[in-house]
Amino acid sequence: MEYLSVSAAQRCVFESVATLGVETVRLEQSLGRVLAEDIRANRDLPPYDVSAMDGYAVRSADLTGGPVELDVIEDIKAGDMPTKAVQAGQCARIMTGAPVPQGADAVVRVEDSETLSDGRVRFIKAAPSGMDIRLRGEGMRDGDVVLAAGAEITPGVAGVLATVKCAQFRVYRRPRVAILSTGNELEGIDEPVDPNKIPDANSYALMAQVQALGMEPVLLGIARDDPAELERYLRQGLEYDVLLVSGGTSVGVHDYVRPTVEALGVQMKFWRVAMKPGHPLAFGVLQRADGTASLVFGLPGNPVSSMVCFEEFVLLALRCSMGHARLHRRTVSARLAHPVKMRPGRTEFVRIVLSRDGEGYVATSTGNQSSGALLSMARADGLLVAPSDSNGLVAGETVTVQLLDGAAFQNETGYME
Ligand code: AMP
Ligand code: MG
């Protein structure tokens, strides 16, 4: 089989994924879930013209510039309804969010007024009609779609759902994900340290990557490089919607993952992708007679490769099956701080740290880029994506960086524009 390009392999994954049905959740339990229905406003908001400030509701015709003194006819707090209309020479004290009384067409903030000893209020400046009034329906209009299916429940979205009184709603079901590590050399996290063994990092890095997407994966443990043992574990893993297997997908004589999943009915879609790190990566689908399916990713054993393959392919599959409208990591442009050597013919993912100077983001390698150097991933803000036709990158070149989890925060200060 040919090496697939990263984009062709992503397309193949995308075309193999379907959403898994819907369920109803309460707003309190919905953070990170994805709406499976459009949500509409159930009334105009604000429901009437309201004051945007604490101050005085006035008639703009009374305040044309120059001092004017008005009688205060009423005190309107948020939650009150005005009882009187404002006539010429009058105003009403009004609080933020309170309905603007009839007759008034502007609000003057309290800072721009002066209360006189006889209780009247003096204004100096002109008040154009509409000033500091929020119009009925300005926030949302009754019946409008305010959130579309495919939107993730973020804090802002939760606020909107509460605003339209949506206490429960339909979201897409989340895929159930199983994780399996393979290799005779692997040592489980609770086993005593054996100098001849390699600690199982992948189960936990993949676990956290899945958790960061809002799912609770199941760790199946470590399977030895033994066809019968592997088959037992893989059978168990195929009961989940998505099975992530790391290690054993290469062409070594003890790499049994691919033949074993095939023997269990999984149709392999690809097992070679032109990328670094990442090779070898296998992807297949178990299609059952009842219409359900399981996706299997055979990820490389090297911890960085496994994580990068998760970022580029598994993330796409999981977000897609969760119904997300946004499937890909956000990218930013950055200037490269140093040259990067490359061989053309494969897409390279370089782990980088982002910083900022006066001109924008600067990308600097996290250091040793070996696919076993997990620290390079732990320190990274993002993955520099170097296109497969590149012979190498030069210092100062503008590059594309995919942001990783955690890159939304930084410890520099002083650039709040
Ligand atoms: P493999 O793909 O099975 O040939 O493994 C490639 C390399 O990744 C080997 O050096 C393995 O020891 C290492 N490796 C495989 N699985 C894991 C794991 N779960 N955690 C850490 N390293 C691993
Ligand atoms: Mg192995």
Side-chain angles (χ1 to χ4, degrees):
M1 191 197 221
E2 290 284 298
Y3 279 76
L4 272 188
S5 68
V6 169
S7 60
Q10 285 177 332
R11 203 171 320 121
C12 175
V13 170
F14 178 71
E15 284 167 0
S16 307
V17 185
T19 51
L20 299 163
V22 302
E23 60 193 359
T24 298
V25 290
R26 292 270 320 164
L27 178 53
E28 295 88 328
Q29 268 76 52
S30 67
L31 183 69
R33 303 300 297 269
V34 180
L35 281 175
E37 59 179 322
D38 290 346
I39 303 290
R40 291 177 184 275
N42 61 343
R43 59 179 155 194
D44 286 347
L45 277 180
Y48 25 68
D49 297 354
V50 296
S51 177
M53 291 291 162
D54 290 343
Y56 295 91
V58 299
R59 299 167 69 96
S60 59
D62 283 350
L63 275 73
T64 50
V68 57
E69 288 157 15
L70 302 178
D71 293 324
V72 182
I73 57 163
E74 189 169 24
D75 201 357
I76 313 164
K77 300 189 289 296
D80 289 350
M81 290 309 284
T83 61
K84 298 175 188 161
V86 176
Q87 315 281 350
Q90 297 180 333
C91 66
R93 199 195 330 272
I94 192 165
M95 298 296 130
T96 306
V100 175
Q102 266 192 2
D105 65 340
V107 169
V108 178
R109 26 188 105 185
V110 72
E111 305 89 288
D112 294 331
S113 69
E114 183 191 339
T115 304
L116 305 177
S117 54
D118 61 2
R120 291 186 307 150
V121 181
R122 176 184 288 151
F123 303 93
I124 309 286
K125 290 190 228 160
S129 181
M131 185 168 81
D132 282 331
I133 290 177
R134 274 193 248 135
L135 298 176
R136 171 182 182 156
E138 197 181 285
M140 55 181 75
R141 287 210 171 275
D142 190 11
D144 279 359
V145 172
V146 288
L147 298 167
E152 177 177 340
I153 316 295
T154 59
V157 168
V160 172
L161 287 162
T163 300
V164 301
K165 308 280 280 186
C166 235
Q168 55 181 39
F169 40 84
R170 277 175 294 150
V171 296
Y172 291 102
R173 186 163 83 66
R174 285 176 294 197
R176 293 167 306 123
V177 184
I179 295 172
L180 177 65
S181 286
T182 73
N184 292 344
E185 76 282 26
L186 298 182
E187 174 182 280
I189 196 152
D190 294 318
E191 289 181 55
V193 173
D194 176 341
N196 298 319
K197 291 209 161 178
I198 301 285
D200 170 20
N202 292 355
S203 287
Y204 297 92
L206 291 168
M207 170 201 75
Q209 285 181 299
V210 173
Q211 287 173 335
L213 296 180
M215 288 154 240
E216 274 310 319
V218 171
L219 299 190
L220 299 180
I222 300 168
R224 308 288 137 195
D225 292 317
D226 166 75
E229 177 167 334
L230 198 56
E231 189 193 312
R232 271 201 311 280
Y233 274 100
L234 291 172
R235 255 185 215 286
Q236 198 189 339
L238 286 169
E239 289 171 12
Y240 293 79
D241 299 308
V242 179
L243 170 60
L244 308 180
V245 187
S246 74
T249 48
S250 195
V251 290
V253 283
H254 298 295
D255 291 329
Y256 300 116
V257 171
R258 194 149 50 87
T260 311
V261 289
E262 276 180 320
L264 292 172
V266 173
Q267 191 201 346
M268 296 314 294
K269 301 280 187 181
F270 60 78
W271 56 88
R272 284 187 176 140
V273 180
M275 65 190 283
K276 182 192 168 197
H279 172 73
L281 166 69
F283 171 64
V285 180
L286 175 67
Q287 190 67 56
R288 296 187 198 82
D290 66 1
T292 63
S294 293
L295 306 180
V296 185
F297 288 89
L299 302 168
N302 275 310
V304 173
S305 310
S306 152
M307 290 191 74
V308 170
C309 286
F310 184 102
E311 279 293 312
E312 302 311 314
F313 302 100
V314 182
L315 177 145
L316 181 66
L318 295 184
R319 284 184 71 86
C320 195
S321 75
M322 258 183 95
H324 276 285
R326 294 178 172 188
L327 293 177
H328 297 279
R329 287 281 192 198
R330 191 176 289 287
T331 61
V332 297
S333 290
R335 279 171 304 115
L336 193 53
H338 47 70
V340 172
K341 286 198 195 116
M342 275 185 62
R343 222 166 8 94
R346 58 194 186 180
T347 307
E348 289 202 22
F349 297 89
V350 183
R351 279 79 71 205
I352 59 96
V353 172
L354 280 179
S355 55
R356 261 178 93 107
D357 65 11
E359 289 166 54
Y361 287 118
V362 178
T364 308
S365 164
T366 55
N368 180 0
Q369 294 286 312
S370 143
S371 55
L374 200 45
L375 280 175
S376 72
M377 198 70 194
R379 292 193 190 108
D381 290 319
L383 298 175
L384 183 170
V385 187
S388 60
D389 58 3
S390 174
N391 283 305
L393 306 173
V394 297
E397 187 168 342
T398 299
V399 293
T400 299
V401 175
Q402 278 177 10
L403 299 179
L404 290 168
D405 281 315
F409 299 95
Q410 48 127 46
N411 55 13
E412 297 157 63
T413 53
Y415 73 88
M416 294 285 283
E417 281 112 358

